[in-house]
């Protein structure tokens, strides 16, 4: 979206009532997602923003005032989803158990946590977090660099870490950025849903179809074998853009998951039991109301010209 279009949407959204923009059965269900909530500055998380506890609670209060919280089962059962929302959280960071879950329990909000099995118990670290930590350490030494930080650069990132004396195993045991398996089980025992987010969070556009399927199969098997979830749910890492219908068809044929999710924002879907989520960590300088008003207005405008469906 260019600056002019964004400015126009911002001005129009300010003139329209929130209820008008969000009402009606033709509006997609709101599926907000986050990664982290923290009042701390975490350099290894410099690749995207995250809300403070107050910002997160403000988001929740606004959502609860204007929408009805639903369980993941409501998405699967095809119930009336108008004026509803379901929260989810990606990557399985420890704040999910230590900060986020207590707030959700206090406010009575159901949610799904999508985890990467390779990171549970702090056995490995997401490649983009590795790049961010390397850049932060070098910046402390007045060395400013930019790193390639895709899944394909993982080996070179590990080599660079070794060259500067950064041992990931030690770092992980000291920082413990991820949840332990016991914490994951505790979330499930508290009524939250646990889903898969692939084994180790690759960019799917860098993988061929069979490798994509192996990531999905292996991670879902890990979830199913260890947690036996009532609903098998999968969230694509980064985006589902570029994932072919062949991959989706194989997943459905093999019954790998029952529900799946992308990150295209407020969009309708043509694929069965596949939904698009809305990133709540974008444009956090704006109020919750403003971000959502603009998102719903953008959807309404795209609907007028037939561009309200997700593309891949």
């Amino acid at each position: 979206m260019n600056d002019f279009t964004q400015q126009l949407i911002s001005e129009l959204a300010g003139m329209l009532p929130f209820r008008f923009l969000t009402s009606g059965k033709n509006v997609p269900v709101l599926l907000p997602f986050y990664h982290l909530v923290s009042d701390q500055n975490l350099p290894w998380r410099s690749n995207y923003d995250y809300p403070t506890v107050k910002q997160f609670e403000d988001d929740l209060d606004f959502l609860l005032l204007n929408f009805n919280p639903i369980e993941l089962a409501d998405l699967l059962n095809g119930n009336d989803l108008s004026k509803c929302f379901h929260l989810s959280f990606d990557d399985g960071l420890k704040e999910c158990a230590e900060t986020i879950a207590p707030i959700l329990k206090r406010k009575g909000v159901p949610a799904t946590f999508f985890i990467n099995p390779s990171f549970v118990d702090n056995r490995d670290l997401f490649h983009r977090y590795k790049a961010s930590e390397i850049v932060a350490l070098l910046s402390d030494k007045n060395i400013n660099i930019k790193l390639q930080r895709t899944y394909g650069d993982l080996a070179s990132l590990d080599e660079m870490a070794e060259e500067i004396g950064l041992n990931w195993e030690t770092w992980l045991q000291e920082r413990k950025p991820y949840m332990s398996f016991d914490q994951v089980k505790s979330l499930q025992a508290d009524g939250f849903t646990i889903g898969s987010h692939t084994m180790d969070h690759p960019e799917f556009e860098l993988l061929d179809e069979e490798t994509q399927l192996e990531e999905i199969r292996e991670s879902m098997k890990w979830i199913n074998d260890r947690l036996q979830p009532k609903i098998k749910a999968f969230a694509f890492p980064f985006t589902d853009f570029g994932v072919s219908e062949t991959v989706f068809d194989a997943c459905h044929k093999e019954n790998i998951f029952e529900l799946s999710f992308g990150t295209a924002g407020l969009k309708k879907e043509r694929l069965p039991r596949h939904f698009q989520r809305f990133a709540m960590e974008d444009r956090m300088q704006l109020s919750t109301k403003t971000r959502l008003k603009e998102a719903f207005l953008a959807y309404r405008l795209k609907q007028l010209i037939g561009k309200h469906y997700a593309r891949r």
Side-chain angles (χ1 to χ4, degrees), residues 133-145:
E133 180 64 12
I134 291 170
V135 169
L137 285 176
L138 292 176
S139 178
D140 289 342
K141 299 177 182 178
N142 295 317
I143 302 173
N144 297 313
I145 63 169

Side-chain angles (χ1 to χ4, degrees), residues 108-155:
V109 180
T112 299
F113 295 87
F114 292 105
I115 64 173
N116 305 92
S118 292
F119 304 151
V120 174
D121 285 322
N122 294 285
R123 291 179 292 111
D124 202 353
L125 184 66
F126 176 33
H127 56 277
R128 291 199 177 182
Y129 295 168
K130 288 183 176 182
S132 294
E133 180 64 12
I134 291 170
V135 169
L137 285 176
L138 292 176
S139 178
D140 289 342
K141 299 177 182 178
N142 295 317
I143 302 173
N144 297 313
I145 63 169
K146 291 184 178 180
L147 292 178
Q148 295 294 321
R149 53 196 188 100
T150 71
Y151 193 67
D153 301 306
L154 184 54

Side-chain angles (χ1 to χ4, degrees), residues 104-230:
L104 296 179
K105 289 167 64 178
R106 172 161 48 85
K107 293 181 178 288
V109 180
T112 299
F113 295 87
F114 292 105
I115 64 173
N116 305 92
S118 292
F119 304 151
V120 174
D121 285 322
N122 294 285
R123 291 179 292 111
D124 202 353
L125 184 66
F126 176 33
H127 56 277
R128 291 199 177 182
Y129 295 168
K130 288 183 176 182
S132 294
E133 180 64 12
I134 291 170
V135 169
L137 285 176
L138 292 176
S139 178
D140 289 342
K141 299 177 182 178
N142 295 317
I143 302 173
N144 297 313
I145 63 169
K146 291 184 178 180
L147 292 178
Q148 295 294 321
R149 53 196 188 100
T150 71
Y151 193 67
D153 301 306
L154 184 54
S156 61
L157 290 172
D158 287 341
E159 289 175 9
M160 179 172 287
E162 186 175 354
E163 289 174 3
I164 64 175
L166 178 54
N167 182 286
W168 291 126
E169 184 176 349
T170 301
W171 188 94
L172 283 161
Q173 291 310 306
E174 290 176 350
R175 302 291 185 91
K176 289 184 167 47
Y178 294 107
M179 289 188 286
S180 67
F181 184 57
D182 285 343
Q183 287 177 311
V184 172
K185 288 194 296 182
S186 180
L187 287 180
Q188 188 181 48
D190 284 337
F192 297 111
T193 312
I194 309 298
S196 166
H197 198 41
T198 69
M199 290 301 295
D200 57 359
H201 212 303
E203 293 91 343
F204 260 39
E205 66 268 22
L206 301 180
L207 309 179
D208 59 45
E209 289 182 351
E210 186 53 40
T211 307
Q212 290 178 1
L213 282 168
E214 283 305 308
E215 275 280 344
I216 299 170
R217 289 186 188 110
E218 186 180 356
S219 62
M220 286 302 307
K221 185 178 187 305
W222 191 98
I223 295 287
N224 294 334
D225 289 349
R226 289 163 176 77
L227 295 167
Q228 298 86 45
K230 294 179 181 178

Side-chain angles (χ1 to χ4, degrees), residues 30 32 59-67 85 87 280 292:
L30 179 61
D59 283 352
L60 286 183
D61 290 341
F62 183 83
L63 289 170
L64 289 168
L65 184 64
N66 293 278
F67 300 89
F85 77 97
L87 282 180
M280 291 295 287
L292 290 176

Side-chain angles (χ1 to χ4, degrees), residues 70-79 81 86 112 193 230-231 259:
I70 58 173
E71 301 279 354
L72 198 64
D74 292 304
L75 293 177
L76 183 62
N77 296 335
N79 298 335
L81 302 177
H86 181 77
T112 299
T193 312
K230 294 179 181 178
I231 297 174
L259 291 171

